[in-house]
């Protein structure tokens, strides 16, 4: 069988050409699976991490079904709900890139918190074809009668797991009540905990299930490394690695908003162009920082899990877990930021005596075992936590830890606690 093309999946010649112009030579696996059933009008449940091409996988068939023909007046036909501002902007861009026709440009309203509601209300005057929204702001606009959703023919929940994390369960009924009962429903999620499954059960009817390269398969494209280092020396090591490896477009994950600023400042003050990225920054500043990273004005972006959601930087080459993620699922999300659209990437995790056990847990869930590398000049000296001291280097078998051992272990542990990102 010959390889599928966008046209062979059922897309119109015009949309197939738009794909070619966008540089999409062949459809990605999730596009191959999702486009034909979506064109037939089926509901869809997509297990898809970012980077799989999932946005185009739903945008293309929805454009063809609902927005191809010029309409006399504008009614919102497609509603996409997303967890973050950045993702909203990105999804809006994809629709615009794939669906704009000079004869009748698509009108897309991207609505999210953090910017003036008045500007968004103005933009919605006279209707829109597509609304891409975060749920809170959408409800705000509904309350102000600034948007009508009774013509919506397709609803997309993107990154449904994160939508639920951010409280979507409470907002769901109000959003759904504003929509017509008869519509096509799509739900995408990178993970499938029970609450996402429950949401899918209530929302979808006879849905086809598609999965982008499953998370386990997706991992081998990413070179995963772990480096043993004391918590207090992580910033120095990071600087060393960036300079040595001439790393560009590096995303560094830390545990707290404070740490984003602190680590970025440490790097920047020692000759590595770096910036913080977190939820308390103004929208315009966030946009500028992302632009700086894309354009190479900064090499390193230091961020938290929540803020990083939806960042799309082409060619992101390295992800660093400066602080380990709290859950193995977050680990998958984080390392998935690199190696997007088939390119290779590196994911480096810093591991100290105090976080060793946590890293093991992540490895177990990933079904990998990674060697702890050491970098010359940065060899760890802190001892393992007390309960493991017997097995550690330097410990005498059977000898109970001395008072000094215990103190050192306690200090090591403290240096790497949740607030210990200062390093
Ligand atoms: P997404 O998973 O939707 O965030 O898409 C990840 C990246 O892949 C985006 O930068 C898209 O522009 C790109 N992309 C989507 N589909 C294709 C394709 N068929 N071929 C090449 N790149 C693609």
């Amino acid at each position: 069988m010959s390889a599928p093309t966008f046209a062979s999946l059922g897309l119109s010649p015009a949309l197939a050409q738009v794909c070619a112009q966008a540089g999409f030579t062949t459809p990605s696996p999730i596009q191959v699976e999702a486009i034909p059933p979506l064109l037939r009008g089926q509901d869809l449940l997509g297990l898809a991490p970012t980077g799989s091409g999932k946005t185009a996988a739903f945008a293309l068939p929805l454009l063809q079904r609902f927005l191809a023909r010029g309409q006399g007046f504008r009614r919102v036909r497609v509603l996409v709900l997303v967890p973050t501002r950045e993702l909203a902007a990105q999804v809006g861009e994809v629709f615009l890139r794939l669906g704009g026709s000079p004869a009748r440009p698509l009108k897309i309203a991207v609505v999210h918190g953090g910017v003036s509601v008045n500007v968004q209300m103005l933009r919605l005057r006279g209707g829109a074809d597509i609304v891409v929204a975060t749920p809170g702001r959408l409800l705000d606009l509904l309350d102000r009668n600034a948007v009508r959703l009774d013509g919506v023919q397709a609803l997309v929940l993107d990154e449904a797991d994160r939508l639920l994390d951010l409280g979507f369960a409470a907002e769901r009924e109000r959003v759904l009540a504003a929509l017509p009962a008869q519509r096509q429903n799509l739900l995408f999620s990178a993970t499938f905990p029970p609450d996402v499954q429950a949401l899918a059960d209530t929302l979808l009817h006879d849905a086809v299930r598609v999965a982008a390269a499953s998370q386990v398969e997706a991992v081998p494209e990413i070179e995963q490394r772990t480096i043993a280092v004391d918590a207090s020396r992580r910033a120095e090591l990071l600087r060393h690695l960036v300079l040595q490896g001439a790393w560009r477009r590096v995303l560094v994950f830390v545990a707290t908003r404070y740490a984003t600023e602190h680590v970025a400042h440490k790097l920047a003050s020692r000759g590595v162009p770096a910036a913080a990225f977190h939820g308390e920054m103004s929208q315009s500043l966030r946009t500028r920082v992302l632009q700086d990273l894309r354009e190479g004005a900064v090499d390193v972006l230091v961020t938290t899990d929540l803020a990083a959601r939806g960042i799309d930087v082409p060619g992101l080459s390295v992800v660093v877990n400066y602080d380990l993620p709290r859950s193995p699922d977050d680990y998958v999300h984080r390392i998935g930021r690199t190696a997007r659209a088939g390119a290779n990437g590196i994911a480096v995790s810093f591991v100290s005596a105090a976080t060793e056990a946590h890293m093991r847990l992540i490895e177990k869930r990933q079904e990998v075992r990674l060697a702890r590398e050491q970098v010359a000049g940065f060899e760890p000296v802190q001892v393992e936590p007390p309960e493991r001291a017997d097995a550690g280097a330097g410990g005498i078998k059977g000898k109970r830890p001395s008072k000094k051992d215990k103190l050192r272990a306690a200090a090591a542990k403290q240096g790497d606690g949740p607030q210990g990102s200062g390093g």
Side-chain angles (χ1 to χ4, degrees), residues 6 22-28 31 49-57 87 90 94 97 312 314 340-341:
F6 286 103
F24 302 174
T25 43
T26 50
S28 74
Q31 290 160 2
T50 44
S52 54
K54 74 182 156 89
T55 317
L87 192 59
Q90 258 175 55
V94 171
R97 188 148 57 113
D312 181 20
R340 285 165 74 78

